Amino acid sequence: MAGAFWCVVEDDRKGSPKKVMAEVIGEAARLSGGEVEAVWVTDKASDEGLKQLGEWGAKKVWLLENAALVPYRAEVWAPAIADLAQAQSPKAIFGPVTSRQRELIARLAARLGVGLAADCTALAMDGDTLVATRPVYAGKLLSKVTWAKAPWLATLRPNVFRPAETQAGRSAAVERPGVTFAGAKMKLVERREEAATGLPELTEAEIVLSGGRGMKGPENYVILEELAGILPNAAVGASRAAVDAGWRPHRFQIGQTGRTISPKLYLGFGVSGAIQHLAGMRTSKVIVAVNKDPEAPIFKIADYGIVADLFEVVPALKEEFKKLLEK
Amino acid sequence: MKILVLAKQVPDTATQVKISSNPRAIETAGVTWIVSPYDEFALEEALRIKEKRQGTEVVAVSLGPDRVKETIRSCLAMGADRAIHLNDPAWADADTLTTARALAAVIKQEAPDLVLTGRQAIDDDMGAVTAQVAEILGWPCASWIMEEAIADDGKTVRAGRQVEGGLEIFDLPLPAVLSAQKGLNEPRYPTLKGIMGAKKKEIRDVKAGDLGLAAEPPQLSLLTLEALPPRPPGRVIPGEVKEAVRELVKALREEAKVV
Ligand SMILES: Cc1cc2nc3c(=O)[nH]c(=O)nc-3n(C[C@H](O)[C@H](O)[C@H](O)COP(=O)(O)OP(=O)(O)OC[C@H]3O[C@@H](n4cnc5c(N)ncnc54)[C@H](O)[C@@H]3O)c2cc1C
Ligand SMILES: Nc1ncnc2c1ncn2[C@@H]1O[C@H](COP(=O)(O)O)[C@@H](O)[C@H]1O
């Protein structure tokens, strides 16, 4: 429908939309009064996945389903979505901040010649225009931005926007538009999976335990992993000091030159709270700091702090959480 | 082989950034300016390619006001052969797309084999210019690369981009655009010889008109900059560890309601 808010689907590459889509669809529905449509580019959408998009509130799914669309390459996806957008005139196109969509939505904006607000943490209608709030200068300031013309393109930071509820009985009409696909110049050679930690992806976790230089060595991260293992949807990250020391692979680094996370709960262990670390986690809803040094800057932004040796605190936390969660 | 490195000047990561009397700008007095850290990774990678491939030229490109010359000199001191400075009042309010269009225009003029950029500029944190430059040029692009190798024949590059849960390795025909993620390399420090030598290297100044670009209003406009809303004051839970932990867990459940 012309004027609809589009949500570009991030999926698990196995035919199901990721949970973060509930947040994107939920926000798009609030802003548009329910005029939400999903755009799903995939080689195979599952019936379950299509049903889920409808139950989250998408009225329609534009399904671009073709073997040629996988693996993801922005040079193929962007023109396909742009052609569809030119024909359908959506008011806005949103996606979650993921490694694919940060690139895809940017390319799409260039192709359509419109503005892009990346990594938004708030969105609001001001009369007929959309105003986005996005952190800048590594989260030291917020900027408010608006678009010169539609479609308004934006990527939304995960874990920040209130997710749509699954409502049984809602369903989306599935439309398969005819589109031509550009040939891809780049070719996927291989995908190297990371050694599975058994824990969720850092940017998707609702709870993040972060270990800094105070962890003293790579062998000690196992205590954080064990603690994460008993908490629901929890992952383990690290400061740059720990990553630079070679204790953790770079993909676990939180901060300005690492990942930006926004979990419900962040717990820092032996992390001093340098400004570049805060850049990656200051939008966490609740921040807990455990540090031996009462002067550590992280206590300035922490909601709860314990001044103590983390090697005493972590086992005690494990015991307490076990008691709590086994109830 | 010719490589263009797009390098932006940004406030030092340790700088306390303050809003100026104009709510759409930061207070620049007292700010230390640096090359955006990811762009340093990009430049380092270009210099490493040059060390491996004879006859490679590395050109640093930066868009911004006069003060950007300083950043350009740092790039030259690190080892870039020459530089291009896109400096025009027409770009004072440049948004991501305007910047990408200007950079793409200069890339078209220079016709390099490879363009290297940073994952994101750490001032606007947009992470978009790279993909937009590629889109405007119609070139393939791999963002957030952790490794890169150019084929011996100089016709393709194999790049590994960081994605959720792994690394995706792609072959891209040149010319192509790659953006650097931390972990790609460790940037070198300029040597004294490098710093002295930089003074003699060419910096070409470019105006919008030289690229055939007319001034255009931004597609995304900045309304205001705002300070962060203050976080509610936190509390340090005193007492012996076991007691404190018990209280913390209780607070997380009952007050904060996050577990
Ligand atoms: C351009 C640039 C980019 C950067 N990007 C990042 C980034 O993305 N992410 C990032 O994290 N940093 C980044 N940094 C580095 C940052 O400035 C800090 O150096 C780093 O965050 C410090 O890590 P840390 O807190 O683990 O170590 P430290 O600052 O050394 O702090 C260790 C803390 O552990 C405490 N401690 C020690 N032992 C114990 C114990 N047994 N129990 C409890 N507490 C203990 C100490 O009191 C101390 O506060 C960047 C720096 C620059 C210049
Ligand atoms: N003004 C600029 N001058 C040179 N390069 C830039 C400029 N702005 C952005 N870039 C390049 O584009 C990358 C991404 O920037 P951004 O999309 O602004 O986060 C940067 O890391 C630079 O490599």
Side-chain angles (χ1 to χ4, degrees), chain B residues 15 30 41 50 69-70 79 86 109 120 125 136 145 161 168 178-179 187-188 205 215 218 221 228-229 231 234 240 245:
Chain B
T15 302
F41 302 136
K50 179 182 157 96
K69 280 274 169 356
E70 200 190 319
L86 283 74
Q109 256 188 5
Q120 73 196 60
D125 284 321
I136 295 163
I145 66 156
R161 68 181 297 252
E168 285 180 353
L178 303 176
S179 82
R188 69 195 62 192
D205 285 304
S221 39
L228 299 179
R231 282 187 84 93
E240 185 262 333
V245 165

Side-chain angles (χ1 to χ4, degrees), chain B residues 69-104:
Chain B
K69 280 274 169 356
E70 200 190 319
T71 291
I72 290 177
R73 279 203 200 89
S74 318
C75 294
L76 295 173
M78 255 177 89
D81 297 295
R82 62 185 172 89
I84 301 172
H85 184 185
L86 283 74
N87 184 1
D88 193 314
W91 290 315
D93 278 329
D95 66 348
T96 306
L97 190 56
T98 306
T99 304
R101 283 180 174 150
L103 291 168

